[in-house]
Amino acid sequence: MTLTAPDSHTCQDSLRLHQYLIAAWIALATAFIVWPFSWSGFSSQIVGACMLLPCLIKGQHWLDAIKAFLGLAWIPYLLLCCILLLHLVQGGEHPGLLLFLTYMFKIPTLGVLVYGGTQTLKRSGFRSGARMQIFWLAVLLPLLVMLFQLFIPSFNGWVIEQLGGFRVEQVISGNNQGHPFRFLGLNGFLFASHGVAFAFTALGMLVCRNNMRRPSVTYSFFCIELVCLLAALLSGRSALPLLGIYIIASLYFAHGLRQRLVMCLVYLVIGVLMALLPRVSEDGRQFITWLIEPVQTSLERGTLASASMDITLQSYQGLSNRKPQEVDQESFSFHGEDLLKSSSLVGEGVYFRNNAQYEERGLTSSDSGFVRLVYLAGYLGCTLFVLFWLALFVRAWQCSRYSPWLPRVYLALFTSYGLLFFVKSEWLYQNFFIFYFFLLFYYFDSAAKQNHAHYIRQGVSAAA
């Protein structure tokens, strides 16, 4: 009997198939975590976390890596947890407090899972930029679901009924959805936070695409980015500044005049189609009216304003003891002695996801993450939470000094816009922000280690 050596092409194809399967597995797990949904006891986040757990088996020193990353950020993190636990120890009625504690536990948990996923892709032969692309491609799951919803109305109705949850019911009952196209997505409704997430995904893919030279891959990514931007426009006006940044950046980083002309033509065609929407259907008219409302309101008042901003400002006025109806909507006053009150300093230990429950307790309802944190842990707890993320940003920025300037700019924009959007939404403790912030850090950390090792090798060669 003779033994034949395995064909080299067969081995390469098998290895490549193995890489593709690992990449698809991690991208799907990421989609389940970052774009969560639940149905009849099925929680996509739990499933996604379980899918990434095997990535930690072969990982070495992952606990040390997390500790090194968090650094001094552990201090505000633990102090905030102490405030929350203090409310529990004091007894009394603190609804929703355990729910927020799960958010706090989720932050280091997602950091560990991201680390495991990145290390698995690294062992499989993927470079740092390719690893980022795989994680960004997780957006395909919600985009595909939205396309099915647009073309299959019965499927859209099933998603709204089965996956929507109480938040969608609240929106429907309040009749303040803005336009019919927002009833899409894995949760049955596209909130403003979804819009920011889609826009940052498009920008993240643009950063990755900047280093690509294969036209087929470049234009494939460009098409996905366009769909992300359209989804962002359907979700909320908070993504409009990011849309402008994307258009300018995409034209600036385009490879050659031909690519710039193609992009300009695409943007022009999309703009013309959107301008024609009000003449085509009533739904299109509602969408365009809703989309340009902040611009019209700002022009009328002579300052940056919108209907949603008025609601947000009203919720900030409700932080004082006065009723929001008794406060002049054009002004916001704050008294220093309010900080000395225990309810203002460490909060009342209450947290709800449903705005109606805040009203039942005599508190002003708000979607603002800042306002909800003040109700929960006071001004001190909210400050500690913001300091926690700022400390993480400083740590990630230190690691990014060996990286190209474009990803560094993306990190700064991601963090600064996230802090700004936190004034309006619960962005800083939502899945997308937490997961991709840790992903950005590991990208920079990997680049820092590679460059540091390169400099050491150069030094040894020079000494020899």
Side-chain angles (χ1 to χ4, degrees):
M1 184 177 69
T2 59
L3 297 178
T4 58
D7 183 68
S8 59
H9 293 288
T10 304
C11 293
Q12 290 179 355
D13 292 341
S14 178
L15 178 61
R16 191 171 301 171
L17 177 61
H18 179 69
Q19 289 180 325
Y20 288 155
L21 291 176
I22 291 178
W25 179 268
I26 292 179
L28 181 61
T30 303
F32 281 169
I33 294 174
V34 175
W35 310 93
F37 62 95
S38 58
W39 176 58
S40 299
F42 173 87
S43 173
S44 67
Q45 284 193 319
I46 295 178
V47 174
C50 293
M51 291 174 66
L52 290 181
L53 281 179
C55 298
L56 300 174
I57 296 176
K58 295 183 179 180
Q60 297 179 354
H61 311 299
W62 57 267
L63 186 58
D64 294 335
I66 295 297
K67 289 181 179 179
F69 169 47
L70 292 178
L72 295 178
W74 273 113
I75 298 175
Y77 179 86
L78 292 177
L79 288 176
L80 177 57
C81 289
C82 288
I83 293 177
L84 300 178
L85 293 175
L86 179 63
H87 285 299
L88 286 179
V89 173
Q90 287 179 340
E93 195 175 341
H94 299 291
L97 183 55
L98 291 177
L99 175 61
F100 193 84
L101 281 171
T102 60
Y103 286 134
M104 297 299 294
F105 175 74
K106 184 187 297 183
I107 293 174
T109 301
L110 289 182
V112 172
L113 294 176
V114 176
Y115 175 79
T118 54
Q119 291 300 307
T120 298
L121 292 174
K122 183 178 180 180
R123 290 193 298 268
S124 300
F126 290 96
R127 295 184 177 181
S128 184
R131 296 197 293 270
M132 290 290 293
Q133 296 170 20
I134 291 169
F135 283 106
W136 286 123
L137 287 174
V139 75
L140 288 176
L141 176 62
L143 292 181
L144 288 174
V145 170
M146 290 175 61
L147 289 176
F148 277 112
Q149 288 174 295
L150 284 172
F151 294 108
I152 308 177
S154 59
F155 176 70
N156 186 29
W158 179 87
V159 171
I160 294 175
E161 181 180 354
Q162 298 297 326
L163 307 182
F166 72 90
R167 296 187 70 184
V168 175
E169 293 176 0
Q170 182 183 1
V171 171
I172 295 175
S173 62
N175 194 29
N176 58 348
Q177 64 270 19
H179 63 88
F181 297 113
R182 294 190 79 178
F183 288 93
L184 297 172
L186 290 167
N187 302 116
F189 188 80
L190 295 172
F191 293 92
S193 56
H194 290 121
V196 177
F198 281 122
F200 268 120
T201 300
L203 282 169
M205 297 182 74
L206 172 62
V207 172
C208 292
R209 177 167 60 84
N210 185 52
N211 296 323
M212 297 178 183
R213 291 298 182 265
R214 293 176 58 186
S216 59
V217 179
T218 299
Y219 284 109
S220 297
F221 266 62
F222 180 61
C223 292
I224 299 174
E225 293 161 20
L226 288 179
V227 179
C228 285
L229 293 176
L230 292 176
L233 287 179
L234 295 177
S235 303
R237 283 85 58 95
S238 300
L240 285 175
L242 298 176
L243 173 65
I245 293 174
Y246 173 88
I247 293 176
I248 296 173
S250 64
L251 293 176
Y252 179 80
F253 294 110
H255 302 307
L257 178 62
R258 179 181 177 183
Q259 196 174 96
R260 286 190 178 89
L261 291 176
V262 171
M263 289 182 177
C264 288
L265 180 61
V266 171
Y267 296 150
L268 181 61
V269 171
I270 293 176
V272 171
L273 292 176
M274 292 186 65
L276 294 176
L277 270 180
R279 301 184 179 184
V280 175
S281 68
E282 177 63 21
D283 292 345
R285 186 194 65 78
Q286 291 183 27
F287 169 63
I288 297 299
T289 302
W290 168 83
L291 189 63
I292 64 175
E293 182 271 330
V295 178
Q296 291 180 330
T297 305
S298 298
L299 292 176
E300 292 173 359
R301 300 184 185 179
T303 184
L304 185 64
S306 68
S308 60
M309 189 178 296
D310 292 341
I311 297 174
T312 301
L313 291 176
Q314 185 179 9
S315 68
Y316 276 81
Q317 294 163 356
L319 289 176
S320 63
N321 289 333
R322 292 174 293 172
K323 295 292 184 181
Q325 301 93 302
E326 301 172 358
V327 183
D328 182 13
Q329 195 168 344
E330 298 297 327
S331 63
F332 173 70
S333 60
F334 178 79
H335 302 282
E337 59 269 17
D338 290 341
L339 283 175
L340 301 178
K341 301 176 182 178
S342 60
S343 60
S344 298
L345 187 63
V346 295
E348 302 181 21
V350 295
Y351 174 79
F352 302 106
R353 296 188 65 194
N354 191 340
N355 281 331
Q357 293 177 286
Y358 283 102
E359 298 285 354
E360 293 173 0
R361 292 184 65 93
L363 301 172
T364 303
S365 62
S366 177
D367 292 332
S368 167
F370 178 85
V371 173
R372 292 191 174 192
L373 263 183
V374 170
Y375 288 147
L376 174 67
Y379 291 103
L380 177 60
C382 189
T383 302
L384 290 171
F385 190 78
V386 173
L387 285 176
F388 168 72
W389 283 112
L390 286 176
L392 292 182
F393 168 75
V394 171
R395 184 73 183 89
W397 186 260
Q398 291 175 343
C399 291
S400 70
R401 62 185 182 273
Y402 295 111
S403 301
W405 68 272
L406 183 57
R408 300 183 75 193
V409 172
Y410 182 86
L411 171 67
L413 176 65
F414 188 80
T415 307
S416 58
Y417 202 90
L419 290 169
L420 182 63
F421 191 53
F422 185 61
V423 175
K424 186 179 184 297
S425 171
E426 300 177 318
W427 179 247
L428 291 187
Y429 46 87
Q430 289 185 346
N431 310 285
F432 185 93
F433 182 86
I434 298 173
F435 194 95
Y436 282 107
F437 188 93
F438 278 97
L439 177 63
L440 288 170
F441 166 74
Y442 291 125
Y443 169 79
F444 291 126
D445 186 55
S446 175
K449 291 178 179 177
Q450 289 176 3
N451 281 277
H452 183 64
H454 175 69
Y455 292 145
I456 291 177
R457 287 195 297 268
Q458 282 187 333
V460 171
S461 300

PDB file of all heavy atoms in Angstrom, residues 65-89:
ATOM      1  N   ALA A  65      -5.358  40.500  31.122  1.00  0.00           N
ATOM      2  CA  ALA A  65      -5.562  41.480  30.052  1.00  0.00           C
ATOM      3  C   ALA A  65      -6.680  42.447  30.409  1.00  0.00           C
ATOM      4  O   ALA A  65      -6.576  43.663  30.170  1.00  0.00           O
ATOM      5  CB  ALA A  65      -5.875  40.765  28.739  1.00  0.00           C
ATOM      6  N   ILE A  66      -7.767  41.933  30.988  1.00  0.00           N
ATOM      7  CA  ILE A  66      -8.872  42.794  31.382  1.00  0.00           C
ATOM      8  C   ILE A  66      -8.445  43.742  32.498  1.00  0.00           C
ATOM      9  O   ILE A  66      -8.755  44.941  32.484  1.00  0.00           O
ATOM     10  CB  ILE A  66     -10.077  41.950  31.824  1.00  0.00           C
ATOM     11  CG1 ILE A  66     -10.615  41.141  30.640  1.00  0.00           C
ATOM     12  CG2 ILE A  66     -11.181  42.836  32.394  1.00  0.00           C
ATOM     13  CD1 ILE A  66     -11.138  41.988  29.506  1.00  0.00           C
ATOM     14  N   LYS A  67      -7.708  43.210  33.473  1.00  0.00           N
ATOM     15  CA  LYS A  67      -7.250  44.056  34.572  1.00  0.00           C
ATOM     16  C   LYS A  67      -6.330  45.159  34.070  1.00  0.00           C
ATOM     17  O   LYS A  67      -6.415  46.310  34.505  1.00  0.00           O
ATOM     18  CB  LYS A  67      -6.515  43.202  35.609  1.00  0.00           C
ATOM     19  CG  LYS A  67      -7.417  42.276  36.415  1.00  0.00           C
ATOM     20  CD  LYS A  67      -6.597  41.491  37.433  1.00  0.00           C
ATOM     21  CE  LYS A  67      -7.486  40.577  38.272  1.00  0.00           C
ATOM     22  NZ  LYS A  67      -6.686  39.783  39.244  1.00  0.00           N
ATOM     23  N   ALA A  68      -5.445  44.810  33.143  1.00  0.00           N
ATOM     24  CA  ALA A  68      -4.518  45.807  32.609  1.00  0.00           C
ATOM     25  C   ALA A  68      -5.264  46.895  31.841  1.00  0.00           C
ATOM     26  O   ALA A  68      -4.886  48.067  31.870  1.00  0.00           O
ATOM     27  CB  ALA A  68      -3.495  45.127  31.706  1.00  0.00           C
ATOM     28  N   PHE A  69      -6.321  46.501  31.148  1.00  0.00           N
ATOM     29  CA  PHE A  69      -7.078  47.484  30.387  1.00  0.00           C
ATOM     30  C   PHE A  69      -7.849  48.423  31.311  1.00  0.00           C
ATOM     31  O   PHE A  69      -7.799  49.647  31.168  1.00  0.00           O
ATOM     32  CB  PHE A  69      -8.028  46.774  29.432  1.00  0.00           C
ATOM     33  CG  PHE A  69      -9.034  47.696  28.787  1.00  0.00           C
ATOM     34  CD1 PHE A  69      -8.632  48.904  28.235  1.00  0.00           C
ATOM     35  CD2 PHE A  69     -10.368  47.364  28.727  1.00  0.00           C
ATOM     36  CE1 PHE A  69      -9.534  49.756  27.636  1.00  0.00           C
ATOM     37  CE2 PHE A  69     -11.284  48.212  28.136  1.00  0.00           C
ATOM     38  CZ  PHE A  69     -10.865  49.402  27.594  1.00  0.00           C
ATOM     39  N   LEU A  70      -8.567  47.866  32.280  1.00  0.00           N
ATOM     40  CA  LEU A  70      -9.387  48.699  33.141  1.00  0.00           C
ATOM     41  C   LEU A  70      -8.543  49.667  33.959  1.00  0.00           C
ATOM     42  O   LEU A  70      -8.890  50.829  34.118  1.00  0.00           O
ATOM     43  CB  LEU A  70     -10.244  47.821  34.054  1.00  0.00           C
ATOM     44  CG  LEU A  70     -11.334  47.011  33.342  1.00  0.00           C
ATOM     45  CD1 LEU A  70     -12.076  46.146  34.328  1.00  0.00           C
ATOM     46  CD2 LEU A  70     -12.305  47.931  32.629  1.00  0.00           C
ATOM     47  N   GLY A  71      -7.398  49.198  34.473  1.00  0.00           N
ATOM     48  CA  GLY A  71      -6.501  50.087  35.203  1.00  0.00           C
ATOM     49  C   GLY A  71      -7.200  50.851  36.306  1.00  0.00           C
ATOM     50  O   GLY A  71      -7.914  50.287  37.147  1.00  0.00           O
ATOM     51  N   LEU A  72      -7.050  52.176  36.309  1.00  0.00           N
ATOM     52  CA  LEU A  72      -7.658  53.025  37.333  1.00  0.00           C
ATOM     53  C   LEU A  72      -9.166  53.144  37.179  1.00  0.00           C
ATOM     54  O   LEU A  72      -9.837  53.656  38.083  1.00  0.00           O
ATOM     55  CB  LEU A  72      -7.028  54.422  37.287  1.00  0.00           C
ATOM     56  CG  LEU A  72      -5.538  54.492  37.651  1.00  0.00           C
ATOM     57  CD1 LEU A  72      -5.037  55.921  37.505  1.00  0.00           C
ATOM     58  CD2 LEU A  72      -5.304  53.983  39.072  1.00  0.00           C
ATOM     59  N   ALA A  73      -9.709  52.695  36.045  1.00  0.00           N
ATOM     60  CA  ALA A  73     -11.157  52.765  35.859  1.00  0.00           C
ATOM     61  C   ALA A  73     -11.906  51.888  36.857  1.00  0.00           C
ATOM     62  O   ALA A  73     -13.110  52.070  37.059  1.00  0.00           O
ATOM     63  CB  ALA A  73     -11.519  52.352  34.427  1.00  0.00           C
ATOM     64  N   TRP A  74     -11.206  50.930  37.467  1.00  0.00           N
ATOM     65  CA  TRP A  74     -11.844  50.106  38.489  1.00  0.00           C
ATOM     66  C   TRP A  74     -12.330  50.956  39.656  1.00  0.00           C
ATOM     67  O   TRP A  74     -13.322  50.602  40.313  1.00  0.00           O
ATOM     68  CB  TRP A  74     -10.861  49.047  39.004  1.00  0.00           C
ATOM     69  CG  TRP A  74     -10.841  47.786  38.219  1.00  0.00           C
ATOM     70  CD1 TRP A  74      -9.819  47.316  37.455  1.00  0.00           C
ATOM     71  CD2 TRP A  74     -11.895  46.815  38.110  1.00  0.00           C
ATOM     72  NE1 TRP A  74     -10.156  46.125  36.863  1.00  0.00           N
ATOM     73  CE2 TRP A  74     -11.440  45.790  37.252  1.00  0.00           C
ATOM     74  CE3 TRP A  74     -13.175  46.720  38.633  1.00  0.00           C
ATOM     75  CZ2 TRP A  74     -12.204  44.689  36.919  1.00  0.00           C
ATOM     76  CZ3 TRP A  74     -13.958  45.616  38.307  1.00  0.00           C
ATOM     77  CH2 TRP A  74     -13.462  44.626  37.457  1.00  0.00           C
ATOM     78  N   ILE A  75     -11.646  52.062  39.948  1.00  0.00           N
ATOM     79  CA  ILE A  75     -11.991  52.873  41.128  1.00  0.00           C
ATOM     80  C   ILE A  75     -13.397  53.467  41.012  1.00  0.00           C
ATOM     81  O   ILE A  75     -14.254  53.226  41.882  1.00  0.00           O
ATOM     82  CB  ILE A  75     -10.926  53.956  41.361  1.00  0.00           C
ATOM     83  CG1 ILE A  75      -9.568  53.307  41.643  1.00  0.00           C
ATOM     84  CG2 ILE A  75     -11.337  54.883  42.509  1.00  0.00           C
ATOM     85  CD1 ILE A  75      -8.424  54.306  41.776  1.00  0.00           C
ATOM     86  N   PRO A  76     -13.695  54.271  39.966  1.00  0.00           N
ATOM     87  CA  PRO A  76     -15.076  54.778  39.864  1.00  0.00           C
ATOM     88  C   PRO A  76     -16.099  53.662  39.659  1.00  0.00           C
ATOM     89  O   PRO A  76     -17.241  53.790  40.121  1.00  0.00           O
ATOM     90  CB  PRO A  76     -15.024  55.721  38.658  1.00  0.00           C
ATOM     91  CG  PRO A  76     -13.825  55.298  37.878  1.00  0.00           C
ATOM     92  CD  PRO A  76     -12.847  54.791  38.881  1.00  0.00           C
ATOM     93  N   TYR A  77     -15.694  52.591  38.988  1.00  0.00           N
ATOM     94  CA  TYR A  77     -16.620  51.470  38.773  1.00  0.00           C
ATOM     95  C   TYR A  77     -17.048  50.857  40.110  1.00  0.00           C
ATOM     96  O   TYR A  77     -18.251  50.656  40.357  1.00  0.00           O
ATOM     97  CB  TYR A  77     -15.948  50.425  37.880  1.00  0.00           C
ATOM     98  CG  TYR A  77     -16.805  49.204  37.597  1.00  0.00           C
ATOM     99  CD1 TYR A  77     -17.718  49.204  36.550  1.00  0.00           C
ATOM    100  CD2 TYR A  77     -16.692  48.057  38.378  1.00  0.00           C
ATOM    101  CE1 TYR A  77     -18.497  48.083  36.285  1.00  0.00           C
ATOM    102  CE2 TYR A  77     -17.460  46.935  38.119  1.00  0.00           C
ATOM    103  CZ  TYR A  77     -18.360  46.958  37.077  1.00  0.00           C
ATOM    104  OH  TYR A  77     -19.140  45.851  36.823  1.00  0.00           O
ATOM    105  N   LEU A  78     -16.097  50.565  40.966  1.00  0.00           N
ATOM    106  CA  LEU A  78     -16.410  49.951  42.257  1.00  0.00           C
ATOM    107  C   LEU A  78     -17.146  50.915  43.180  1.00  0.00           C
ATOM    108  O   LEU A  78     -18.038  50.507  43.932  1.00  0.00           O
ATOM    109  CB  LEU A  78     -15.122  49.452  42.922  1.00  0.00           C
ATOM    110  CG  LEU A  78     -14.427  48.273  42.230  1.00  0.00           C
ATOM    111  CD1 LEU A  78     -13.133  47.919  42.954  1.00  0.00           C
ATOM    112  CD2 LEU A  78     -15.350  47.059  42.178  1.00  0.00           C
ATOM    113  N   LEU A  79     -16.793  52.204  43.126  1.00  0.00           N
ATOM    114  CA  LEU A  79     -17.493  53.183  43.955  1.00  0.00           C
ATOM    115  C   LEU A  79     -18.960  53.294  43.549  1.00  0.00           C
ATOM    116  O   LEU A  79     -19.843  53.400  44.411  1.00  0.00           O
ATOM    117  CB  LEU A  79     -16.807  54.544  43.845  1.00  0.00           C
ATOM    118  CG  LEU A  79     -15.445  54.683  44.541  1.00  0.00           C
ATOM    119  CD1 LEU A  79     -14.844  56.053  44.250  1.00  0.00           C
ATOM    120  CD2 LEU A  79     -15.589  54.464  46.041  1.00  0.00           C
ATOM    121  N   LEU A  80     -19.224  53.262  42.253  1.00  0.00           N
ATOM    122  CA  LEU A  80     -20.612  53.304  41.791  1.00  0.00           C
ATOM    123  C   LEU A  80     -21.361  52.055  42.238  1.00  0.00           C
ATOM    124  O   LEU A  80     -22.523  52.136  42.676  1.00  0.00           O
ATOM    125  CB  LEU A  80     -20.647  53.443  40.270  1.00  0.00           C
ATOM    126  CG  LEU A  80     -22.041  53.420  39.628  1.00  0.00           C
ATOM    127  CD1 LEU A  80     -22.923  54.513  40.207  1.00  0.00           C
ATOM    128  CD2 LEU A  80     -21.938  53.580  38.115  1.00  0.00           C
ATOM    129  N   CYS A  81     -20.713  50.901  42.143  1.00  0.00           N
ATOM    130  CA  CYS A  81     -21.354  49.662  42.605  1.00  0.00           C
ATOM    131  C   CYS A  81     -21.650  49.737  44.102  1.00  0.00           C
ATOM    132  O   CYS A  81     -22.679  49.221  44.569  1.00  0.00           O
ATOM    133  CB  CYS A  81     -20.456  48.468  42.306  1.00  0.00           C
ATOM    134  SG  CYS A  81     -20.336  48.049  40.549  1.00  0.00           S
ATOM    135  N   CYS A  82     -20.769  50.388  44.867  1.00  0.00           N
ATOM    136  CA  CYS A  82     -20.997  50.537  46.311  1.00  0.00           C
ATOM    137  C   CYS A  82     -22.240  51.380  46.583  1.00  0.00           C
ATOM    138  O   CYS A  82     -23.011  51.086  47.505  1.00  0.00           O
ATOM    139  CB  CYS A  82     -19.776  51.158  46.973  1.00  0.00           C
ATOM    140  SG  CYS A  82     -18.354  50.066  47.082  1.00  0.00           S
ATOM    141  N   ILE A  83     -22.441  52.431  45.786  1.00  0.00           N
ATOM    142  CA  ILE A  83     -23.641  53.263  45.953  1.00  0.00           C
ATOM    143  C   ILE A  83     -24.894  52.448  45.683  1.00  0.00           C
ATOM    144  O   ILE A  83     -25.893  52.522  46.421  1.00  0.00           O
ATOM    145  CB  ILE A  83     -23.573  54.491  45.024  1.00  0.00           C
ATOM    146  CG1 ILE A  83     -22.444  55.425  45.457  1.00  0.00           C
ATOM    147  CG2 ILE A  83     -24.898  55.237  45.020  1.00  0.00           C
ATOM    148  CD1 ILE A  83     -22.260  56.621  44.542  1.00  0.00           C
ATOM    149  N   LEU A  84     -24.861  51.639  44.635  1.00  0.00           N
ATOM    150  CA  LEU A  84     -26.019  50.811  44.300  1.00  0.00           C
ATOM    151  C   LEU A  84     -26.278  49.769  45.382  1.00  0.00           C
ATOM    152  O   LEU A  84     -27.432  49.529  45.771  1.00  0.00           O
ATOM    153  CB  LEU A  84     -25.796  50.135  42.945  1.00  0.00           C
ATOM    154  CG  LEU A  84     -25.587  51.079  41.745  1.00  0.00           C
ATOM    155  CD1 LEU A  84     -25.328  50.276  40.482  1.00  0.00           C
ATOM    156  CD2 LEU A  84     -26.786  51.988  41.556  1.00  0.00           C
ATOM    157  N   LEU A  85     -25.214  49.149  45.883  1.00  0.00           N
ATOM    158  CA  LEU A  85     -25.381  48.162  46.948  1.00  0.00           C
ATOM    159  C   LEU A  85     -25.857  48.811  48.239  1.00  0.00           C
ATOM    160  O   LEU A  85     -26.583  48.183  49.030  1.00  0.00           O
ATOM    161  CB  LEU A  85     -24.066  47.413  47.182  1.00  0.00           C
ATOM    162  CG  LEU A  85     -23.609  46.511  46.038  1.00  0.00           C
ATOM    163  CD1 LEU A  85     -22.226  45.929  46.342  1.00  0.00           C
ATOM    164  CD2 LEU A  85     -24.611  45.381  45.806  1.00  0.00           C
ATOM    165  N   LEU A  86     -25.464  50.065  48.463  1.00  0.00           N
ATOM    166  CA  LEU A  86     -25.922  50.789  49.649  1.00  0.00           C
ATOM    167  C   LEU A  86     -27.433  50.942  49.643  1.00  0.00           C
ATOM    168  O   LEU A  86     -28.093  50.803  50.682  1.00  0.00           O
ATOM    169  CB  LEU A  86     -25.244  52.160  49.699  1.00  0.00           C
ATOM    170  CG  LEU A  86     -25.635  53.076  50.879  1.00  0.00           C
ATOM    171  CD1 LEU A  86     -25.222  52.431  52.199  1.00  0.00           C
ATOM    172  CD2 LEU A  86     -24.994  54.451  50.721  1.00  0.00           C
ATOM    173  N   HIS A  87     -28.003  51.213  48.478  1.00  0.00           N
ATOM    174  CA  HIS A  87     -29.461  51.303  48.371  1.00  0.00           C
ATOM    175  C   HIS A  87     -30.109  49.960  48.703  1.00  0.00           C
ATOM    176  O   HIS A  87     -31.164  49.924  49.352  1.00  0.00           O
ATOM    177  CB  HIS A  87     -29.854  51.742  46.963  1.00  0.00           C
ATOM    178  CG  HIS A  87     -29.624  53.195  46.687  1.00  0.00           C
ATOM    179  ND1 HIS A  87     -30.250  54.202  47.390  1.00  0.00           N
ATOM    180  CD2 HIS A  87     -28.821  53.823  45.790  1.00  0.00           C
ATOM    181  CE1 HIS A  87     -29.859  55.381  46.937  1.00  0.00           C
ATOM    182  NE2 HIS A  87     -28.992  55.175  45.952  1.00  0.00           N
ATOM    183  N   LEU A  88     -29.493  48.879  48.260  1.00  0.00           N
ATOM    184  CA  LEU A  88     -30.053  47.559  48.565  1.00  0.00           C
ATOM    185  C   LEU A  88     -29.978  47.257  50.054  1.00  0.00           C
ATOM    186  O   LEU A  88     -30.933  46.717  50.640  1.00  0.00           O
ATOM    187  CB  LEU A  88     -29.310  46.482  47.769  1.00  0.00           C
ATOM    188  CG  LEU A  88     -29.606  46.373  46.270  1.00  0.00           C
ATOM    189  CD1 LEU A  88     -28.756  45.280  45.649  1.00  0.00           C
ATOM    190  CD2 LEU A  88     -31.079  46.085  46.035  1.00  0.00           C
ATOM    191  N   VAL A  89     -28.867  47.588  50.679  1.00  0.00           N
ATOM    192  CA  VAL A  89     -28.686  47.300  52.107  1.00  0.00           C
ATOM    193  C   VAL A  89     -29.651  48.108  52.961  1.00  0.00           C
ATOM    194  O   VAL A  89     -30.162  47.617  53.981  1.00  0.00           O
ATOM    195  CB  VAL A  89     -27.226  47.589  52.520  1.00  0.00           C
ATOM    196  CG1 VAL A  89     -27.065  47.469  54.036  1.00  0.00           C
ATOM    197  CG2 VAL A  89     -26.284  46.624  51.826  1.00  0.00           C
TER     198      VAL A  89
END
